[in-house]
Amino acid sequence: MKAIIYTRVSSTSDRQNTERQVKDLTDYANYKKYEVAKVYEEKISGAKKNNERTVLVEALDFCKSENIDIILVSELSRLGRNAFEVLETVKNLVDNRINLYMQKEQFTLLDENKQPSIFAPIMLATLSTCSQLERENIKFRLNSGRQLYIEKGGKLGRKIGSTKTKEQKKEEYREVITLLKRGYSIRNIAQLCKIGVSTVQRIKKEFNI
């Protein structure tokens, strides 16, 4: 059986990556003896519309053109946080007889005859709606917290005078600068110093190394 792995994280920074999703789904594919034709990794908010998610669109097109049997995802929310967008994707899969496995939910969309069970629409609608509600609740709590902070006299943004001087940065990132001068790769330095790759890149640029 031919499969693809689709993974997604919301942050485009180095704070999140898809490494764990890829590993877990690869292990599952090996256990089920699936042939993984391709691995797709996307960094984009789950609130985006399907047509704005270029990697997801590419993955779905690949499944249709290459007769892929099943898409493996870590959980339903990887397909999106908007219930209507998720259900549109699922309908697309059902119409093209492409199966979907969600590891967290331990749920497979289609049966052996490539037909959805009678409970599939209910379960998927419930899960996707819960995912959207969770996202909306997080947004509400964040906005509410910010508003309360402002009402109490707080000010958002960087504090005046908090910007570090070049000399302060030179001292703080002394080890990073030393490793850069020794020719270590940016990724290795990030791992050794336990900081983000983008931070190393910024230091490299700022100090012209």
Side-chain angles (χ1 to χ4, degrees), residues 38-193:
K38 207 163 184 179
V39 175
Y40 289 90
E41 302 175 66
E42 187 160 42
K43 288 189 174 185
I44 192 170
S45 168
K48 295 289 186 180
K49 294 183 178 180
N50 289 343
N51 58 13
E52 296 176 284
R53 299 173 59 188
T54 55
V55 177
L56 177 62
V57 171
E58 182 185 342
L60 295 174
D61 288 343
F62 180 83
C63 287
K64 296 172 191 175
S65 63
E66 301 300 321
N67 296 316
I68 299 298
D69 299 293
I70 188 168
I71 299 177
L72 310 179
V73 297
S74 62
E75 57 183 280
L76 183 62
S77 66
R78 297 307 89 196
L79 293 180
R81 292 279 187 180
N82 181 295
F84 292 107
E85 295 290 327
V86 171
L87 292 175
E88 181 183 332
T89 299
V90 171
K91 183 180 184 303
N92 191 349
L93 295 176
V94 172
D95 290 346
N96 287 278
R97 298 166 68 85
I98 300 169
N99 211 342
L100 173 69
Y101 170 73
M102 294 153 279
Q103 192 167 44
K104 179 182 176 181
E105 292 86 359
Q106 291 291 297
F107 181 76
T108 304
L109 176 62
L110 305 179
D111 60 22
E112 294 179 353
N113 298 316
K114 293 197 172 185
Q115 295 296 320
S117 71
I118 58 173
F119 300 108
I122 299 172
M123 182 174 180
L124 290 169
T126 302
L127 287 171
S128 56
T129 301
C130 287
S131 179
Q132 181 171 344
L133 286 173
E134 178 187 3
R135 178 177 176 276
E136 294 300 324
N137 285 336
I138 291 171
K139 284 174 59 181
F140 174 79
R141 289 195 295 270
L142 287 172
N143 291 334
S144 178
R146 289 193 189 100
Q147 186 61 37
L148 182 62
Y149 176 70
I150 293 170
E151 288 173 359
K152 288 184 176 181
K155 293 183 179 180
L156 299 177
R158 187 187 293 272
K159 292 181 180 179
I160 297 174
S162 64
T163 303
K164 296 175 183 176
T165 66
K166 194 163 185 176
E167 286 302 315
Q168 287 174 322
K169 291 179 183 177
K170 187 175 182 180
E171 179 61 28
E172 181 179 353
Y173 296 109
R174 181 170 51 185
E175 185 180 0
V176 174
I177 294 169
T178 299
L179 292 173
L180 282 168
K181 288 180 177 178
R182 289 180 180 176
Y184 282 70
S185 72
I186 290 174
R187 189 165 295 278
N188 283 342
I189 294 172
Q191 291 173 345
L192 288 168
C193 299

